[in-house]
Amino acid sequence: MVPTPVRSRAPLTKLARQAFAWHRPLMLCAGVLAVFVLVSTVGLLVDDRFVGGTPVWMKPLKFGISFLLYAVTLAWLASVCRRGRRFAWWVGTVLAAGVAVEFAVITFQAARGVASHFNVATPFDARLYSIMGQTAMVLAVANLLFLVPLMFNRFADSATRWSARLGLLVAFGGMFEASLMTRPRDEQVAALKSGVGTLSGAHSVGVADGGPGLPGVGWSTGGGDLRIGHFVGLHAMQVLPLVAVLLGMLATRYAVLRSERIRLGLTLVASAGYTGLGVLLTWQAMRGQPLLRPDGLTLAALGALVGAVALAAALILAGGRRRRSALQPALS
């Protein structure tokens, strides 16, 4: 009897090794983040402390997952850069270091049972918050610099290339939007001047931080929340490439999508619509309006955005069908 060969190296293991080679510092960072996502999950189960009305380990868990996706996405982008490869490697390394610093402060403060963001209760807390702010600026600039090698590299199809480039650009906008949260509120300025202030900045508008929020994410249900637009902007790096991938998958079923030009056009429309959604959500939050209780003006703006995106997509598809129909006689 011939023994059945043992699959000692599973395809998943091989894929993991290949992914680790994309950009070692970023993938190492992602591995550490994955471990701390598990640690934070355990912390939620065994630690009953709360900070600002939220379980103390919720913030490290949310940021750990978000940073993990961010690091893996950047590592993949670094791997497709043939031109400017060394530049992309260094920018990616700076981003990995920045993510590590941000997450280390968040986790350290959570372990202490105190807030990481907006916390100026003591000189030590204020210094850590300052470090986070400076690191965030470095991350934003480095994120934008990553666009340079991406613009000079041809990888995959045009829809995927532009979805990745635009994803980085929209993510930069999401990072910039976070600066709206760092501005101290009037009452905080007064408290800080009187020497009793402990906070400088907030993510809620119209209500105090720490109030009722949506399950899991904690976004305010009583007022506006600037974290929503920030979240949408940051994850454009994952959402927009997924749109391009989905269009490519649908091309096997729908003939009109087999045109790379059509897929590119739809990807650009989706990118514009996604950007508009992020701006709309930020505008809604700045008006002190909860996500799930939009007023008529917000609904009208959302309707106009959805209508514009749907119309643009329909025009692109219609044009593609007309061109395909015109080519049929020549092909037959």
Side-chain angles (χ1 to χ4, degrees):
M1 177 181 292
V2 179
T4 303
V6 179
R7 296 182 178 180
S8 59
R9 294 292 183 184
L12 191 60
T13 304
K14 182 179 180 181
L15 180 62
R17 290 202 311 270
Q18 291 173 343
F20 186 75
W22 287 346
H23 189 286
R24 293 184 186 279
L26 279 168
M27 291 305 293
L28 179 61
C29 179
V32 173
L33 288 167
V35 171
F36 275 94
V37 164
L38 295 176
V39 171
S40 300
T41 303
V42 173
L44 282 176
L45 298 175
V46 303
D47 194 336
D48 59 0
R49 291 177 298 168
F50 278 70
V51 173
T54 305
V56 69
W57 288 102
M58 181 58 75
K59 180 167 283 189
L61 177 61
K62 292 191 299 184
F63 273 79
I65 295 172
S66 183
F67 279 144
L68 174 59
L69 292 172
Y70 182 67
V72 172
T73 304
L74 286 171
W76 169 68
L77 291 176
S79 73
V80 301
C81 291
R82 296 293 178 258
R83 296 180 178 178
R85 188 175 185 83
R86 184 175 295 275
F87 180 79
W89 188 91
W90 278 109
V91 174
T93 302
V94 169
L95 287 164
V99 166
V101 170
E102 287 277 308
F103 188 72
V105 174
I106 291 169
T107 305
F108 176 70
Q109 292 292 72
R112 293 177 62 216
V114 300
S116 51
H117 290 79
F118 319 127
N119 184 3
V120 293
T122 68
F124 180 68
D125 292 322
R127 182 57 183 159
L128 288 180
Y129 179 46
S130 176
I131 290 173
M132 290 180 68
Q134 293 166 6
T135 305
M137 290 179 61
V138 172
L139 284 172
V141 173
N143 192 83
L144 195 60
L145 287 175
F146 218 110
L147 267 173
V148 176
L150 278 184
M151 293 301 295
F152 293 97
N153 279 274
R154 294 179 62 86
F155 56 95
D157 62 302
S158 59
T160 302
R161 289 198 301 272
W162 278 104
S163 68
R165 294 162 180 168
L166 292 172
L168 274 176
L169 188 59
V170 177
F172 172 77
M175 293 177 180
F176 181 78
E177 190 263 3
S179 64
L180 298 174
M181 306 182 209
T182 63
R183 300 174 183 174
R185 308 303 189 247
D186 292 340
E187 63 275 12
Q188 292 175 342
V189 172
L192 290 169
K193 286 182 178 178
S194 64
V196 297
T198 60
L199 296 172
S200 179
H203 49 69
S204 298
V205 179
V207 294
D209 284 353
L214 294 175
V217 291
W219 296 336
S220 177
T221 55
D225 200 314
L226 294 167
R227 291 176 296 182
I228 303 171
H230 178 58
F231 173 87
V232 169
L234 284 181
H235 290 290
M237 291 177 58
Q238 290 83 41
V239 174
L240 297 184
L242 282 175
V243 169
V245 170
L246 178 61
L247 290 173
M249 293 172 62
L250 291 174
T252 61
R253 184 172 181 180
Y254 299 100
V256 68
L257 294 179
R258 291 169 193 163
S259 166
E260 186 172 336
R261 181 178 177 181
I262 297 299
R263 295 199 306 275
L264 174 60
L266 292 174
T267 299
L268 295 177
V269 169
S271 300
Y274 191 86
T275 304
L277 178 63
V279 172
L280 174 61
L281 291 170
T282 301
W283 175 61
Q284 179 186 10
M286 291 182 70
R287 291 158 54 223
Q289 195 175 114
L291 175 66
L292 300 183
R293 284 193 280 132
D295 63 10
L297 186 59
T298 300
L299 289 174
L302 178 61
L305 177 63
V306 172
V309 169
L311 177 61
L315 290 174
I316 290 172
L317 290 171
R321 290 192 181 98
R322 283 196 301 270
R323 282 192 294 272
R324 186 172 180 83
S325 298
L327 288 174
Q328 286 299 328
L331 294 175
S332 58

